[in-house]
Amino acid sequence: YDSPVFRKIAVIFVLFIGFFYTMPQMKGAGTTLSYIFQDVSWGDQKGLPYWVGVVIVGVVITFNVAVGGMKGITLVQAFQYWLKMFAISVPVFVLMSVYGGYGEQLGLNRATPSAAAPASAVVMTPASDSGQPALGDRQPLPAKAPADAAWLNPFGPLTTKAAKAAGLQGDALKPYALLYTYSLIIALVCGTAGLPHILVRFYTNPDGVAAKRTTMWVMILIGVFYVFPPVFGVMGRNLMPALYEGTGAKGTDKIVLELPRVLDSSPTGSGSASAPTVPSGDTPARPRTAWGSILSGITCAGAFAAFMSTFSGLLVSMTGALAHDVYGRMLRPHSTAADRMRMFKWCAALIGGIATLLGCFVEPLEINFMVGQAFAIAAASYFPLLFMSVWWRGMTIRGAATGMLTGGLCALIAVALTNASNLALDKGPMGQLFSAFAPLNAFWAAHPLLRILCEQPAIWTVPLAIGLMILVSHLTRDTRPADIRMKMLVLHAPEALGLKQDYIREHEAGGH
């Protein structure tokens, strides 16, 4: 739309989306390093504090981006995908070969319990001498763990938190869970198309044909990767239920790192799978080789690859927006390439420092919760803009800006309020810092529908943004770009015709 004002709005949302999505990456960084150094003494306490891990990783990635730039990060991310794919798949296959496959693990949650234990009291023990999975004593899950009926629900416990806080039970939970689930689906599908670090990847392709081919393969590869997290979740509930009692970096978010260590347990006997046991008789069980610890180390490497890859991409997109769009186009339009590259390094340090600081505040929040919200902001801002501009010739600059600004800000404010109220519940320093938002939790308990619409706002912010774009564009139809037909042709015609190159040459020469 050749509008400096619209460019500023776009840059602002690049930063909003980027910062919201870096927070779960930094949570992963702090959790991973806290787990790796859990036996190291730090002052008067044992284990590395969460914030130290966040700072270390933030500094490393910021330096990497500042030095490597887009090309360096592209090569690093390509390598890191295969590293994390290996690191997550090998432990899963080893664990399933010892403790049973996904279906068998899932079936344990439907097993009929003994009279001495409640229905949610299934815990696996290590395999028997025959190598087959063995079902040991049924021990109660921790109080914080969701019951089997809730955990096996297709919508999951996360979707029912708002309704449960309001005191609703049974069938009364289902409408709220359904609403949350569909809103999350909209956020994930539409938000992926609007994530800045995804969009910026198209600039690393030589032409449109290569970009389409890359997109297809990325969808296939990321789909394969996402097969594995549910397997970790099912096996972790059965083999390491004690993690439900933990919070922050010591809670269920570290299940991928911790789970392979159950292989270090005794091969026989009953009891918890997370500690060696002695079978009946006088001879202690021979401890296994520390294959579990080795596999846990591999998953730690995969975790590093995962959050470093994503954080690097986010940092590149945010830094590029500041260095190229703000500095290069707005503040100093006549700057040289060397000036912009120098500013890129400074902006990388600035954005990396802010992202690291924000990452220190989110330990009490759940990673999957924050990821869904980042996608919701992208779905309400960039997705409507791209979708409508590419496929509807009636879009005007005012319609595009109004829809993007309204939808994106509504999603941003909604998720910020729910995050602040959740942090106010923390028993540690975060609770004190965000104590002003504590009264919101009483409001959410009285209005569970509003809480769900704020926790996951994509279901209403995406239609709002698109509706405003259509309405305002109709009201300002006289301001449509004069060459809109040519622009649409350039977007949709086969690239082999060379229309894009002709269009660019005409604009560079001052033609229309």
Side-chain angles (χ1 to χ4, degrees), residues 330-355:
M330 299 176 192
L331 300 180
R332 292 192 59 190
H334 301 295
S335 58
T336 64
D339 292 334
R340 297 184 183 188
M341 182 58 65
R342 191 179 306 109
M343 183 55 60
F344 181 92
K345 298 179 186 298
W346 284 107
C347 289
L350 173 65
I351 297 297
I354 296 174

Side-chain angles (χ1 to χ4, degrees), residues 110-165:
R110 302 189 182 99
T112 303
S114 64
S120 59
V122 178
V123 177
M124 281 286 289
T125 60
S128 62
D129 290 331
S130 63
Q132 299 299 318
L135 183 63
D137 295 338
R138 296 176 182 272
Q139 301 176 4
L141 292 171
K144 292 184 179 180
D148 286 344
W151 189 79
L152 289 170
N153 189 299
F155 303 118
L158 182 65
T159 66
T160 57
K161 282 186 175 181
K164 285 184 176 179

Side-chain angles (χ1 to χ4, degrees), residues 135-411:
L135 183 63
D137 295 338
R138 296 176 182 272
Q139 301 176 4
L141 292 171
K144 292 184 179 180
D148 286 344
W151 189 79
L152 289 170
N153 189 299
F155 303 118
L158 182 65
T159 66
T160 57
K161 282 186 175 181
K164 285 184 176 179
L168 301 179
Q169 298 293 332
D171 291 341
L173 299 174
K174 292 182 179 179
Y176 295 96
L178 185 65
L179 176 67
Y180 190 105
T181 301
Y182 274 106
S183 188
L184 180 60
I185 290 173
I186 293 172
L188 295 178
V189 173
C190 300
T192 304
L195 289 174
H197 69 295
I198 301 294
L199 296 172
V200 78
R201 281 282 148 227
F202 288 104
Y203 291 109
T204 61
N205 290 274
D207 52 49
V209 175
K212 292 177 181 179
R213 185 170 59 249
T214 299
T215 302
M216 181 192 71
W217 277 108
V218 166
M219 292 173 67
I220 293 172
L221 293 174
I222 199 170
V224 171
F225 178 79
Y226 276 123
V227 169
F228 294 98
V231 181
F232 268 104
V234 171
M235 300 191 76
R237 176 177 171 86
N238 293 334
L239 298 176
M240 304 198 73
L243 290 182
Y244 280 115
E245 292 285 5
T247 58
K250 294 178 171 50
T252 53
D253 279 338
K254 71 170 184 175
I255 183 61
V256 176
L257 310 174
E258 185 82 19
L259 186 59
R261 295 187 64 185
V262 302
L263 295 169
D264 292 340
S265 303
S266 170
T268 58
S270 62
S272 171
S274 60
T277 58
V278 179
S280 58
D282 298 327
T283 305
R286 291 178 299 161
R288 292 184 178 181
T289 306
W291 288 112
S293 297
I294 295 174
L295 291 176
S296 179
I298 292 175
T299 58
C300 288
F304 266 99
F307 59 70
M308 289 184 74
S309 174
T310 305
F311 186 26
S312 298
L314 289 165
L315 197 54
V316 164
S317 63
M318 290 190 287
T319 302
L322 286 182
H324 179 74
D325 292 299
V326 176
Y327 176 79
R329 285 179 175 265
M330 299 176 192
L331 300 180
R332 292 192 59 190
H334 301 295
S335 58
T336 64
D339 292 334
R340 297 184 183 188
M341 182 58 65
R342 191 179 306 109
M343 183 55 60
F344 181 92
K345 298 179 186 298
W346 284 107
C347 289
L350 173 65
I351 297 297
I354 296 174
T356 301
L357 180 64
L358 291 174
C360 294
F361 289 96
V362 298
E363 183 183 5
L365 301 179
E366 299 176 49
I367 289 178
N368 56 348
F369 180 76
M370 292 185 287
V371 168
Q373 292 185 329
F375 275 71
I377 298 172
S381 55
Y382 265 101
F383 169 75
L385 170 69
L386 296 172
F387 177 72
M388 296 298 292
S389 297
V390 168
W391 294 103
W392 186 43
R393 68 179 63 181
M395 181 81 91
T396 66
I397 183 173
R398 293 179 183 175
T402 302
M404 181 181 187
L405 196 59
T406 304
L409 284 179
C410 286

Side-chain angles (χ1 to χ4, degrees), residues 371-502:
V371 168
Q373 292 185 329
F375 275 71
I377 298 172
S381 55
Y382 265 101
F383 169 75
L385 170 69
L386 296 172
F387 177 72
M388 296 298 292
S389 297
V390 168
W391 294 103
W392 186 43
R393 68 179 63 181
M395 181 81 91
T396 66
I397 183 173
R398 293 179 183 175
T402 302
M404 181 181 187
L405 196 59
T406 304
L409 284 179
C410 286
L412 178 68
I413 294 171
V415 300
L417 286 176
T418 53
N419 278 324
S421 61
N422 285 333
L423 287 170
L425 296 174
D426 183 54
K427 304 299 183 183
M430 291 299 104
Q432 298 176 0
L433 185 62
F434 290 89
S435 59
F437 295 92
L440 267 179
N441 291 294
F443 176 81
W444 298 137
H447 304 85
L449 178 61
L450 290 179
R451 176 177 173 178
I452 287 177
L453 292 177
C454 287
E455 278 188 357
Q456 191 41 256
I459 200 167
W460 61 275
T461 53
V462 174
L464 174 65
I466 293 176
L468 284 174
M469 287 178 178
I470 295 173
L471 176 62
V472 177
S473 293
H474 276 300
L475 295 176
T476 59
R477 63 175 66 92
D478 295 337
T479 63
R480 280 184 297 179
D483 59 345
I484 185 61
R485 291 182 179 273
M486 184 61 187
K487 286 183 176 180
M488 297 298 285
L489 184 60
V490 169
L491 281 173
H492 296 283
E495 196 155 331
L497 296 178
L499 296 178
K500 181 177 70 174
Q501 288 75 16
D502 294 340

